[in-house]
């Protein structure tokens, strides 16, 4: 019996300990994390897998460039053979072994521009991939800022909904008090209660939208979706003074995708250079040494026949396809078509960039105007609601007037916060459209204007 009691005590302690541990863990998980906009962007840049993928692409391009440059150096090749031969000789079975070894060195001297074109293309591809990495970072930054602003907008909508609930709660108290003394009808109480229920439902929906927005922001940042965040920044308004023309010009010089498109043109032109190498002769220096015998690595001392199978060569080899049935011409024409395709794609990228900049800029300016007008509307709606309340309390206004004024106030506040959201999100979209750098000064990688055409 005593053993059973001790066992039960230990079991209870373990259960309570487990519950306490779970509670502490839950409390730790429930603790919110303060997050500024800048911190959210940096977190996303550190965790995003598309960036990691682009980093691997850049590393691959670096090694491809290394490979292309090394192709202009010497190569040393070792070849070894071992054969066994059998048959009859003078009605006697014969079996012999033969070993051969060749050590050769080859170095290109002139390739007609083929290796030079390959090296140029590899250099360009490496820079294009570095620009691609910056482009990936800019996309992640824009997506993070958009998600952060959406969460702030959802947070503001909670404030609007909560203000409506608070306002209607006070008004309902006033209506009940007047109904108790018989100065208003029952319909006023019922109407206010319905309006109150609708406001509470709006508050529930607003909180749910905020939870979804936070989960989306966590997903963009690479954090667990249930991480609780305390967004410390707000939707602010600062006048944007840069004119559209300057924004467009900046985008044409700094957008990574525009610069990448120019690089694709230059890479295609390097391909033409490589294709034209088929018209030219190829010159290389070669040297080799070979030996053969009955043993894998025979020597003059152990195999007298070895000295008759030991030789070396050194010289220059020239090869020229004088007629290749127009294969080279076909390659050249194909490469020129690739250049035309790349040039068309580059121009399309520039025009798409111009449109993206203009769209974001116009949205920004429209939101900027809306901020001023909606702020005035909020002030007037607040004044109108106060007047409606005073009139109702004095018995010269109706409950419908109060309900209508409250709805207009909530709508005006919603419009104001929406204008702030549109302004900030349009500003983020404009930064991305212009190619505002994240980690790389892309202007240093811009091709000369002649090469970019």
């Amino acid at each position: 019996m005593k053993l059973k009691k001790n066992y039960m005590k230990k079991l209870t302690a373990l259960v309570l300990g487990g519950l306490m541990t779970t509670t502490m863990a839950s409390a730790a998980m429930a603790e919110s994390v303060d997050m500024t906009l800048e911190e959210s962007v940096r977190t996303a840049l550190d965790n995003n897998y598309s960036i990691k993928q682009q980093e691997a692409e850049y590393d691959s391009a670096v090694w491809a460039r290394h490979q292309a440059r090394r192709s202009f150096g010497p190569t040393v090749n070792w070849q070894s053979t071992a054969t066994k031969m059998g048959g009859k000789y003078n009605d006697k079975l014969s079996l012999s072994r033969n070993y051969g070894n060749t050590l050769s060195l080859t170095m290109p001297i002139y390739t007609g521009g083929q290796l030079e074109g390959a090296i140029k293309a590899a250099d360009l591809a490496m820079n294009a991939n570095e620009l691609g990495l910056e482009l990936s970072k800019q996309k992640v930054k824009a997506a993070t800022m958009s998600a952060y602003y959406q969460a702030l907008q959802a947070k503001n909508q909670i404030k609007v909904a909560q203000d409506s609930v608070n306002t209607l709660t006070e008004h309902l108290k006033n209506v009940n008090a007047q109904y108790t003394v018989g100065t208003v009808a029952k319909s006023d109480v019922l109407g206010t209660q319905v309006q109150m229920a609708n406001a509470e439902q709006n508050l529930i929906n607003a909180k749910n939208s905020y939870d979804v927005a936070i989960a989306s922001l966590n997903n963009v940042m690479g954090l667990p979706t249930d991480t609780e965040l305390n967004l410390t920044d707000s939707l602010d308004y600062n006048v944007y003074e840069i004119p559209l023309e300057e924004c467009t010009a900046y985008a044409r010089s700094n957008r990574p995708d525009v610069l990448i498109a120019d690089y694709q043109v230059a890479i295609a032109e390097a391909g033409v250079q490589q294709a034209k190498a088929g018209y030219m002769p190829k010159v290389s220096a070669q040297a080799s040494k070979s030996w053969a015998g009955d043993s894998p690595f025979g020597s003059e001392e152990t195999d007298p026949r070895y000295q008759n199978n030991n030789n070396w060569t050194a010289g220059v080899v020239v090869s020229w396809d004088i007629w290749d049935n127009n294969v080279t011409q076909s390659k050249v024409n194909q490469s020129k078509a690739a250049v035309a395709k790349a040039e068309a794609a580059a121009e399309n990228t520039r025009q798409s960039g111009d449109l993206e900049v203009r769209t974001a800029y116009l949205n920004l300016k429209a939101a900027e105007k809306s901020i001023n007008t909606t702020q005035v509307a909020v002030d007037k709606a607040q004044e109108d609601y106060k007047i409606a309340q005073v009139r109702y309390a004095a018995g010269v206004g109706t409950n419908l007037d109060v309900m209508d004024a409250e709805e207009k106030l909530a709508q005006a506040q919603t419009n104001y916060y929406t204008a702030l959201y549109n302004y900030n999100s349009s500003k983020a979209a404009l930064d991305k459209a212009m190619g505002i750098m994240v980690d790389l000064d892309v202007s240093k990688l811009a091709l000369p204007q002649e090469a970019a055409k």
Side-chain angles (χ1 to χ4, degrees), residues 176-365:
N176 282 325
Q178 293 193 56
Y179 174 72
T180 301
V181 297
T183 57
V184 299
K186 179 68 173 180
S187 59
D188 284 4
V189 177
L190 296 176
T192 306
Q193 289 175 338
V194 171
Q195 191 85 346
M196 179 73 175
N198 291 336
E200 290 175 342
Q201 183 60 46
N202 290 337
L203 179 59
I204 293 173
N205 294 337
K207 289 181 177 179
N208 180 69
S209 297
Y210 176 75
D211 291 339
V212 172
I214 289 295
S216 299
L217 177 58
N218 283 325
N219 184 63
V220 172
M221 292 191 298
L223 299 178
T225 54
D226 60 347
T227 304
E228 294 191 14
L229 301 177
N230 177 32
L231 307 184
T232 57
D233 282 341
S234 59
L235 294 173
D236 297 324
Y237 166 61
N238 297 302
V239 179
Y240 194 83
E241 299 178 346
I242 303 176
L244 175 59
E245 294 73 17
E246 291 185 18
C247 293
T248 302
Y250 184 92
R252 287 208 162 207
S253 301
N254 291 272
R255 275 180 67 111
D257 57 343
V258 170
L259 300 183
I260 290 172
D262 290 337
Y263 269 97
Q264 293 301 327
V265 174
I267 291 172
E269 291 172 343
V272 175
Q273 179 183 352
Q274 295 179 67
K276 287 183 176 180
Y279 294 130
M280 308 303 293
K282 309 294 188 298
V283 182
S284 62
Q286 293 185 357
S288 65
K289 179 177 176 61
S290 61
W291 57 93
D294 291 342
S295 58
F297 300 97
S299 64
E300 297 181 6
E301 292 77 9
T302 60
D303 188 352
R305 295 167 294 176
Y306 175 73
Q307 53 186 316
N308 296 324
N309 295 290
N310 183 3
N311 58 77
W312 60 270
T313 62
V316 176
V317 177
V318 179
S319 64
W320 196 346
D321 292 332
I322 298 176
W323 170 251
D324 64 356
N325 201 28
N326 281 335
V327 171
T328 296
Q329 184 61 49
S330 299
K331 291 181 178 178
V332 171
N333 292 339
Q334 183 180 0
S335 299
K336 287 181 178 179
V339 172
K341 178 182 177 181
E343 288 175 342
E347 184 58 32
N348 182 64
T349 300
R350 277 187 283 272
Q351 291 183 6
S352 298
D354 292 348
L355 176 60
E356 188 177 348
V357 171
R358 178 175 290 272
T359 301
Y361 190 90
L362 293 177
N363 289 338
L364 177 73
K365 288 302 179 181

Side-chain angles (χ1 to χ4, degrees), residues 28-43:
M29 291 179 60
E31 184 178 356
S32 62
V33 178
D34 290 343
M35 186 69 66
T36 65
L37 177 61
E38 183 179 356
E39 290 170 344
S40 67
V41 169
R42 183 50 55 186
T43 301

Side-chain angles (χ1 to χ4, degrees), residues 62-83:
V62 171
W63 286 110
R65 172 179 177 271
H66 186 75
Q67 173 188 342
R69 288 181 173 273
R70 288 294 181 176
S71 297
F72 229 133
T75 59
V76 179
N77 176 265
W78 172 278
Q79 183 177 358
S80 182
T81 61
T83 60

